[in-house]
Amino acid sequence: MSLFASLIKDLSELMELDIEVSANESCSLEFGDMIITLQYRQEHDDIAIFSVVTDPEKTSTLSDTVLRAALSLSYNGTGTDFNFIGLVNENLVLTNYIQIEGITSEELLQRIYSFSQSAQNVHDSLISMVTQKVQEQSADSSLKTESDPMTLMSVGTMS
């Protein structure tokens, strides 16, 4: 059994869940609305932890507004709790890496929990930022329409 599989087995017992490790040494956990995936990277002897943070049902994943919001959040890592935002298969994904050497299942659980909170915060922030921008654009658009002389001229009638 690999070190990763052993660690996940201990984590499974700690969480009282049946966590399956796939053949490519990865597993997924659900925390609230977020799916958190752990992938062992043998060449780096670490675990990549990642989660999709965009929601195509609520916002267009690759719109200019979403990408600008993601860049704004990732500036100096302050809006992402120092995790990384990247683009994978047309989804924005939050990622970080955990060194596997010496980590306990308790420490791993804490790191997963902390990461899941960050992923949820980034997800919610993206939706909020995009919604606000759309509302601002809509308000700007209606202000322009109301002050457009061509619009006002078409409203009047001749008697």
Side-chain angles (χ1 to χ4, degrees), residues 49-66:
I49 181 170
F50 56 94
S51 180
V52 173
V53 291
T54 46
D55 189 345
E57 292 178 11
K58 295 185 180 174
T59 59
S60 172
T61 301
L62 297 180
S63 74
D64 180 58
T65 305
V66 171

Side-chain angles (χ1 to χ4, degrees), residues 81-152:
D81 291 329
F82 301 98
N83 295 296
F84 312 100
I85 293 180
L87 185 63
V88 177
N89 298 327
E90 300 199 12
N91 286 300
L92 290 177
V93 177
L94 193 68
T95 306
N96 211 323
Y97 303 94
I98 301 168
Q99 290 301 311
I100 198 166
E101 187 176 325
I103 194 165
T104 66
S105 56
E106 290 84 4
E107 292 168 331
L108 180 59
L109 178 58
Q110 181 57 42
R111 295 282 303 270
I112 293 168
Y113 180 71
S114 177
F115 180 84
S116 72
Q117 288 180 315
S118 296
Q120 187 67 57
N121 289 340
V122 168
H123 173 268
D124 295 347
S125 293
L126 284 171
I127 290 173
S128 176
M129 292 169 81
V130 169
T131 301
Q132 180 181 359
K133 185 69 172 176
V134 167
Q135 289 171 345
E136 287 171 2
Q137 289 173 343
S138 178
D140 286 347
S141 175
S142 65
L143 284 176
K144 287 178 186 173
T145 302
E146 289 173 7
S147 63
D148 183 356
M150 296 305 287
T151 304
L152 294 175

